[in-house]
Every structure is written in C-alpha cells, then in structure tokens.
Amino acid sequence: MVHPALMQTVDTALRKAPELKTDRLILHGHGLKDFAESVALWTDPDVVRFIGGRPFTEEEVWTRLLRYVGHWATLGYGFWAVREAATGRFVGEVGLANFRRALDPTFGDTPEMGWALRPWAHGQGYASEAVQAVLAWAEGRFGAGVRTVCMIDPQNTASIRVAEHLGYRAFAHAIYKDAPTVLYQRP
C-alpha cells in the first residue's frame, strides 16, 4: 500500500526522473549509458564496505538499475545518477526508494533516502549537496515536512555525518540481513 500522503501523486506521477542541478552537480535519471559506471560503483569494495559488505555482481547492478527506473514508473520517485556539472564525471547515485525492507521497526511506505559515491568523490561535500537537492525536490513534490528515512551501518561515520547534517535523527537500532543498522528519520 502506498503511503496516503503520496497516493495522490502516484496517478499523475512523473514517469522518469527530472534533472536536478546544484552549483557543482547534475542529477539525472538512470539509463543504459550509466550501466558501466554503476557497475564500477557497486563492484568497488570501498563503496560497499558498509552496504552489504561485498561487491555486487554485474547481474545485481543490472537489477538495481531496473529497480531505479521502476520506482519512477510506479511511484513517481526514485534514484538519480549524479555527475559533476563541470566535467560530466560520474560521482555516484542518490535518491528515494521503497525497498519494502524486512525491518523491525518497519519503514512502511515512507520514502527511504540512499546515497553511494565513488571513493574519489568522498570528502568533497558531494553527498550532502546531492541529498539536499533530492530533499528539496521531495518537499516540492510531496509537500513541506515530508518524512523520509534512511538506514546506516553504525560504523559508517561519514554517512552518519551527512545524515545528521541534513536533519536526520536516529530513531531505532535494528538488524538487517544479519548486520546491525541504525534507522534515521527526517524531519
């Protein structure tokens, strides 16, 4: 079941991701042209260290890309590929999803924020900038104060800093796929 606050937008939902721009970044919907760079992102051990702990296979990345496109088609929100505005260089991926995770407590139908960046892009403020752009888009699309959630490995101090900087606050500790995680919400 889709969250009631979001239901009114689903029938007239965007069927593909709108382009978002910040001072340094361009966020665009995923397409075939992004597949090789998404594979490079998700097969990098430094990227997945706190996201499942093992590199993804090419098949798993393909499924992820299709899931991104499917989110836009069915829910009217989803993930974006992130690139540097000045160079076009692939930075990573950021967005909102409903993964229907088997968590206790559950996220329900609350949109879940997520981000993953190439290691060269870490420490430059790109994650905060991209997440902030998505949050601004979400508030414009779904209304001010729309609740979003995220889950972060408790050892991932960089992502915890990003989340807290943008107003996320821990509300529960959980186990997901046999690993501890901290659940955050905003506002």
Side-chain angles (χ1 to χ4, degrees):
M1 171 128 178
V2 175
H3 189 277
L6 302 177
M7 187 60 187
Q8 59 187 287
T9 64
V10 171
D11 290 336
T12 59
L14 297 169
R15 297 300 173 206
K16 65 179 193 171
E19 185 175 89
L20 305 179
K21 294 181 179 182
T22 71
D23 289 342
R24 302 182 300 157
L25 302 173
I26 296 174
L27 288 68
H28 66 85
H30 287 80
L32 292 175
K33 68 186 179 316
D34 304 300
F35 181 60
E37 290 167 311
S38 289
V39 169
L41 174 73
W42 292 105
T43 57
D44 188 318
D46 289 334
V47 171
V48 300
R49 179 178 45 183
F50 300 117
I51 308 172
R54 66 161 182 81
F56 287 63
T57 66
E58 188 170 305
E59 177 183 354
E60 290 168 324
V61 177
W62 178 249
T63 300
R64 179 179 286 276
L65 186 136
L66 295 176
R67 183 170 58 182
Y68 293 159
V69 174
H71 266 83
W72 285 104
T74 54
L75 297 175
Y77 63 88
F79 267 67
W80 284 264
V82 181
R83 296 184 179 278
E84 283 185 318
T87 66
R89 189 175 183 190
F90 185 80
V91 172
E93 301 174 346
V94 63
L96 297 165
N98 182 343
F99 293 127
R100 299 200 175 269
R101 295 188 191 275
L103 281 171
D104 185 23
T106 179
F107 286 157
D109 288 317
T110 302
E112 177 184 344
M113 177 66 72
W115 59 90
L117 275 59
R118 295 298 311 262
W120 69 263
H122 293 180
Q124 299 185 52
Y126 284 160
S128 293
E129 189 172 330
V131 171
Q132 199 163 29
V134 172
L135 289 170
W137 174 87
E139 289 199 352
R141 181 85 173 132
F142 303 119
V146 62
R147 179 178 182 253
T148 59
V149 294
C150 64
M151 57 186 272
I152 303 174
D153 183 301
Q155 295 180 15
N156 189 347
T157 56
S159 282
I160 291 169
R161 280 192 305 272
V162 168
E164 290 178 345
H165 172 73
L166 295 172
Y168 284 92
R169 298 295 174 251
F171 72 93
H173 293 263
I175 301 295
Y176 181 69
K177 295 188 177 180
D178 299 322
T181 189
V182 182
L183 309 183
Y184 290 81
Q185 63 184 348
R186 180 184 185 272

